[in-house]
Amino acid sequence: MSTQKPVRRNTTPKIRNMKGGDPIVSLTSYHAHTAAIVDRYADFILVGDSLGMVMHGMETTVGVPLDLMIMHGKAVVRGTQKALIVVDMPFGTYEESPNMAFRNAAKIMKETGCGAVKLEGGARMAETIHFLTERGIPVMAHIGLTPQSSHVMGGFKTQGRDEATWDAHIADAKAVAEAGAFAMVVEGVVEPLAAKITKLVDIPTIGIGASAECDGQILVLEDMLGLNATPPKFVKVYGDLANQIEASVKAYAEEVKDRSFPTEDQVYR
Ligand code: KIV
């Protein structure tokens, strides 16, 4: 008989209850092996649609298909035990109607085994968030800078620089909280607005480029590891992976070229 206690995954109520308490740690991950490392430290892991840009070289997240999110979502669920896994709903899979959103969110949850989905938009998505949560699908909202709308927003621009726009962002935050979201990503908003939103809503705010005033933080893993040559300005880069990979590949290529590659160790036994 095993004496080891099974590890229990974090749940959406647990993340919801972290409001105003210990800061929530989260990162994106798209693969089983990086997710296994992140899992030791993160309260939740987001399989973000940023994978279209980070892993697949797309210009924006607009072209990301549902099946790609599901494939990466499955990998991250397989690689992890503890963190709540949240999978992004890609552009075009939820905006048209609550019914459409339910169909696609249910597909994501059934096929990946994730614990929640995330979708972008504030007040305009409140009806859909309510529809999904009433039917058993936990939703993380995403307000402020919403990359899927970058074509309408005119690019990736900090939100709330003009105080006259704050009311609309605050209304978005209140609407998604009232609709039943268990947490919300607040992306690319000025610090005093992030602080105000965090104070006004009773669910956790997860900041990205939105200051330490939020209840938690999220970064794109590849950005903070130093794999992205041009990370967004707000990102603190903790690693030097691009240079480490380059040095390793160079050393390998040189050994192969000059035949100093250690052949005895390179056979299947
Ligand atoms: O897609 C993503 O990675 C995201 C984060 C930036 C929050 O939505």
Side-chain angles (χ1 to χ4, degrees):
M1 196 178 83
S2 167
T3 53
Q4 271 195 330
K5 275 200 190 145
V7 182
R8 293 192 60 156
R9 258 192 207 279
N10 288 340
T11 60
T12 54
K14 178 169 176 193
I15 302 294
R16 159 84 186 72
N17 289 336
M18 289 174 81
K19 173 73 187 177
D22 268 357
I24 297 169
V25 178
S26 60
L27 281 164
T28 64
S29 176
Y30 320 126
H31 341 84
H33 60 288
T34 56
I37 300 168
V38 174
D39 192 40
R40 295 182 208 133
Y41 304 95
D43 297 301
F44 77 85
I45 295 175
L46 173 69
V47 184
D49 63 351
S50 53
L51 64 80
M53 297 165 79
V54 175
M55 290 205 61
H56 297 274
M58 298 176 178
E59 278 283 307
T60 71
T61 56
V62 169
V64 174
L66 185 64
D67 286 347
L68 196 60
M69 295 308 304
I70 290 175
M71 193 191 299
H72 286 285
K74 278 181 184 168
V76 169
V77 170
R78 277 190 215 112
T80 55
Q81 299 182 9
K82 177 186 77 61
L84 170 73
I85 308 301
V86 183
V87 176
D88 251 341
M89 298 196 71
F91 179 69
T93 65
Y94 61 92
E95 302 88 334
E96 193 179 314
S97 68
N99 283 324
M100 178 208 215
F102 180 80
R103 248 189 329 275
N104 288 322
K107 184 173 162 75
I108 291 174
M109 293 198 68
K110 276 168 180 273
E111 293 187 21
T112 65
C114 71
V117 297
K118 176 167 83 60
L119 54 80
E120 295 184 8
R124 72 187 162 84
M125 292 314 302
E127 185 193 349
T128 296
I129 293 170
H130 181 70
F131 191 89
L132 296 184
T133 52
E134 285 285 294
R135 287 161 179 76
I137 298 190
V139 179
M140 176 174 284
H142 184 153
I143 64 160
L145 195 174
T146 45
Q148 291 176 9
S149 312
S150 63
H151 291 301
V152 175
M153 290 177 139
F156 294 77
K157 291 189 179 148
T158 303
Q159 303 294 301
R161 284 202 200 282
D162 176 359
E163 223 175 306
T165 65
W166 285 18
D167 282 353
H169 291 293
I170 290 168
D172 279 343
K174 285 184 172 166
V176 298
E178 277 161 23
F182 70 93
M184 71 182 82
V185 168
V186 179
E187 178 164 357
V189 309
V190 295
E191 178 166 355
L193 176 57
K196 210 165 185 163
I197 289 172
T198 300
K199 216 163 116 200
L200 285 171
V201 295
D202 64 356
I203 60 172
T205 56
I206 311 296
I208 174 160
S211 85
E213 293 292 331
C214 297
D215 295 300
Q217 297 294 324
I218 186 161
L219 285 176
V220 170
L221 184 66
E222 281 75 355
D223 287 349
M224 61 86 86
L225 290 179
L227 257 180
N228 179 354
T230 54
K233 274 197 232 128
F234 63 81
V235 173
K236 178 172 175 192
V237 180
Y238 292 79
D240 189 23
L241 268 200
N243 288 329
Q244 286 178 349
I245 292 172
E246 164 114 33
S248 306
V249 173
K250 184 164 177 265
Y252 163 76
E254 284 170 0
E255 287 191 356
V256 173
K257 285 282 187 206
D258 71 11
R259 299 185 191 281
S260 62
F261 187 65
T263 47
E264 290 118 73
D265 298 339
Q266 302 298 321
V267 289
Y268 279 113
R269 292 184 199 283

